[in-house]
Amino acid sequence: MPKLERDGEVFVLHLDADDENRFHPDRLAALEAAFDEVEAAEGPRALVTAGSGKFWSNGLDLDWLLNHGDQYAGYLDRVHALLARTLASPVVTVAALNGHTFAAGAMWALAHDFRVMRADRGYVCLPEVDLDLSFQRGMSDLIRARLAPQVAHEAMTTGRRYGGGQALAAGIVDAVADAGELLGAAVELARPLAGKSRAARGQIKEMLYSETLAALRTPTVV
């Protein structure tokens, strides 16, 4: 399960797991609890989400879904809620992308304020077109809200895999770093932003992404 640690103003949420950091319901509960703790903390604060090894997150837990098809709508609503909560968070969020970041995992990364990606390994990818899957409305709105139109078009319709340098050039990530410097770079990006007004930031993001948030917060209809 994810583990939350604190480095001064910056909370670091370690996503370490041996199952590609997919959104199993138990992991969603742990992520929700971590957001609760960070948002309730006193004083300046920011949140960095960091994986280890080969994966940052590969998104939906498809194996769990195959065995719990009757819970499909409720499960998607919970994933959408995580995306909306991250996108609208009054706390600055930075994703330290150590490895593969695919599908709903990529969408969660895009919901963060900033992304720092490992320069030499791992891909950001929206592979739905290769999986014969369409995007939920809220997910599509999120991608289009956070990427330039042509980049969103390419990423969504071709399933292109973007390495670190390519993702930086496309504006998908904000910086790249070597493996040993990745977490430090994300923390130092977050730290000077931790003291800015959380109330104002939350209100700004609610207005900036009002349509996307409304779509993500609309219950899934099967």
Side-chain angles (χ1 to χ4, degrees):
M1 285 295 101
K3 181 176 65 175
L4 191 63
E5 297 180 343
R6 188 166 189 173
D7 177 4
E9 307 96 330
V10 182
F11 286 84
V12 179
L13 181 59
H14 296 278
L15 307 176
D16 304 340
D18 57 5
D19 58 356
E20 303 179 5
N21 291 320
R22 291 182 180 269
F23 297 144
H24 185 280
D26 291 344
R27 178 163 292 110
L28 288 172
L31 295 175
E32 291 159 0
F35 270 83
D36 288 343
E37 181 175 344
V38 173
E39 291 175 1
E42 297 293 333
R45 57 198 184 276
L47 175 65
V48 170
T49 53
S52 65
K54 189 176 181 180
F55 300 97
W56 187 77
S57 176
N58 271 358
L60 302 185
D61 190 331
L62 300 179
D63 290 338
W64 186 89
L65 271 177
L66 285 174
N67 294 307
H68 300 83
D70 59 322
Q71 300 180 50
Y72 175 80
Y75 174 78
L76 275 187
D77 287 346
R78 200 168 177 187
V79 172
H80 290 164
L82 174 65
L83 300 179
R85 185 171 190 177
T86 307
L87 183 64
S89 176
V91 176
V92 169
T93 55
V94 180
L97 307 180
N98 56 287
H100 296 322
T101 304
F102 276 46
M107 299 173 209
W108 188 37
L110 290 173
H112 287 65
D113 291 307
F114 304 100
R115 288 150 299 285
V116 182
M117 186 174 179
R118 182 170 169 175
D120 63 337
R121 182 173 295 181
Y123 295 101
V124 173
C125 177
L126 297 169
E128 280 75 5
V129 69
D130 296 316
L131 302 175
D132 195 25
L133 296 173
S134 60
F135 291 89
Q136 294 287 321
R137 174 61 186 271
M139 292 177 169
S140 175
D141 285 359
L142 169 63
I143 296 163
R144 293 186 299 110
R146 297 295 281 144
L147 296 179
Q150 184 56 31
V151 176
H153 178 91
E154 179 183 59
M156 296 173 75
T157 64
T158 71
R160 177 180 174 181
R161 297 184 176 197
Y162 297 84
Q166 297 166 329
L168 180 63
I172 298 172
V173 301
D174 302 280
V176 295
D178 293 336
E181 300 174 352
L182 179 66
L183 179 56
V187 168
E188 291 314 308
L189 176 59
R191 195 182 303 281
L193 302 174
K196 295 183 182 293
S197 171
R198 292 185 300 278
R201 183 187 292 115
Q203 292 171 359
I204 289 168
K205 290 166 80 173
E206 286 283 348
M207 291 186 292
L208 186 61
Y209 298 112
S210 59
E211 294 181 3
T212 299
L213 291 168
L216 287 170
R217 291 165 176 164
T218 299
T220 300
V221 177
V222 179

